[in-house]
Amino acid sequence: MATLWGTAAQFPLPLDLPLREARDHFDSLYFNYHMHKENGNMTRVAKNVGLERTHLYRKLKQLDVKFAKKSLDEN
């Protein structure tokens, strides 16, 4: 079983930031992980993280997380 510090070392999360900045950094890592895991399928990402898609898009924009928008050709 990994220790808390061993697990924390796997993620580039600076712990010397103010709480809001650290939380935004974590949220960014969290959403990037789920988007990568679901190959950019925002419907599945929203379901996995427990947000409505509209709220997910707002959160990603707030965090300045880049995501690929589907083009009309991909439908």
Side-chain angles (χ1 to χ4, degrees):
M1 178 182 226
T3 66
L4 174 61
W5 299 116
T7 302
Q10 295 176 10
F11 300 102
L13 182 62
L15 299 176
D16 58 345
L17 296 174
L19 179 59
R20 172 159 285 161
E21 290 179 41
R23 185 175 50 222
D24 287 349
H25 192 84
F26 170 79
D27 286 353
S28 179
L29 289 169
Y30 178 80
F31 288 117
N32 276 313
Y33 165 79
H34 280 284
M35 289 186 326
H36 179 74
K37 179 180 166 192
E38 297 298 343
N39 296 319
N41 184 316
M42 299 307 262
T43 301
R44 288 196 311 246
V45 171
K47 183 179 179 187
N48 288 345
V49 301
L51 291 174
E52 293 180 19
R53 278 183 39 196
T54 304
H55 293 247
L56 175 61
Y57 284 115
R58 279 191 203 136
K59 185 67 173 174
L60 295 176
K61 185 175 180 180
Q62 172 192 352
L63 295 169
D64 199 28
V65 173
K66 306 296 183 213
F67 54 92
K69 294 182 181 178
K70 273 190 168 181
S71 68
L72 295 174
D73 308 351
E74 294 181 44
N75 290 334

